[in-house]
Amino acid sequence: MSFKAKITHDIENLPIHEYAFIPSNKVIFSDEVRSLCENNSCGHFGTSWACPPAVGTVAACKKKCIEYEHAFMFTTVNGLKYQHDMEGWIQARKKHEKVTEAVVRVFRRFDEKVLALSTEGCLLCKNCTYPNAPCKDPSRMYPATEGYGILVIEQARKSKMQYNNGTNTVTYFSMLFFNWNRVDLI
């Protein structure tokens, strides 16, 4: 069984909506995305090891990502009571982070050196140690995809994935970068 088939088999029971395998050198980075972080559009800038400026510059983040040969991007979709259902968004994000943790476990069975990126901020600790002390659990702290400068909306389009899955839904994205030369992904 090929690596791609093993991964596909191992994640088939997870509530993943869509996924794509992408060569890491085809991932779309943008300084404009980082400007949203610097303007603190999500409220997490400078508050977490998972967000800028702690993750480094977009150039440094891109360099980390393309050191890996492959990327795996996936989504979860959850319904909302109404368009601006903030509590629904929060619950959907928590569910997505649990799915991300499960997908990371699947990939790390094959190789521990996986770079995982997920939604804004980090939900592991009630109060992040940033910037006064190191992260308490760096193996489970997944930096924000957009915080890394990845243009998710364009990456989704290029990967034939839906960025918006309809009225009264929220779609969350995660990406894993891996470097397993023995796999047949393309």
Side-chain angles (χ1 to χ4, degrees):
M1 181 183 289
S2 72
F3 171 77
K4 189 174 183 179
K6 286 179 190 176
I7 292 294
T8 302
H9 176 268
D10 289 353
I11 65 170
E12 71 184 6
N13 293 320
L14 296 174
I16 292 173
H17 181 68
E18 294 180 300
Y19 64 87
F21 288 91
I22 308 160
S24 64
N25 63 356
K26 299 294 184 189
V27 173
I28 303 165
F29 291 84
S30 168
D31 288 322
E32 285 182 44
V33 176
R34 177 57 69 84
S35 70
L36 293 173
C37 292
E38 292 166 351
N39 290 328
N40 206 19
S41 63
C42 75
H44 296 285
F45 183 79
T47 65
S48 168
W49 287 109
C51 294
V55 295
T57 65
V58 172
C61 291
K62 180 178 181 178
K63 184 177 186 278
K64 283 182 206 173
C65 292
I66 63 174
E67 286 175 356
Y68 296 88
E69 192 171 349
H70 308 285
F72 177 78
M73 184 165 85
F74 71 91
T75 63
T76 61
V77 177
N78 286 275
L80 301 172
K81 291 178 185 171
Y82 50 91
Q83 185 177 2
H84 298 290
D85 176 10
M86 293 306 289
E87 184 58 34
W89 286 4
I90 291 167
Q91 292 309 313
R93 182 171 170 233
K94 288 178 181 177
K95 289 177 187 176
H96 179 83
E97 294 303 327
K98 287 182 180 180
V99 174
T100 300
E101 183 79 21
V103 172
V104 169
R105 279 194 304 271
V106 168
F107 274 75
R108 286 187 176 160
R109 279 198 325 239
F110 299 97
D111 191 331
E112 280 293 315
K113 296 176 183 169
V114 172
L115 171 62
L117 307 176
S118 195
T119 62
E120 74 264 3
C122 178
L123 299 175
L124 287 178
C125 302
K126 186 174 181 169
N127 295 306
C128 184
T129 59
Y130 180 82
N132 302 315
C135 175
K136 292 178 184 176
D137 196 352
S139 70
R140 291 183 57 222
M141 184 276 298
Y142 311 130
T145 306
E146 288 89 349
Y148 256 54
I150 295 172
L151 189 56
V152 174
I153 193 167
E154 182 63 21
Q155 190 66 57
R157 186 189 66 71
K158 262 192 130 169
S159 301
K160 297 178 178 31
M161 296 171 72
Q162 293 294 313
Y163 184 78
N164 183 332
N165 284 281
T167 306
N168 297 340
T169 66
V170 61
T171 304
Y172 283 112
F173 286 79
S174 287
M175 291 184 82
L176 281 68
F177 290 84
F178 54 99
N179 196 23
W180 303 322
N181 295 325
R182 67 182 189 280
V183 300
D184 58 336
L185 295 174
I186 310 293

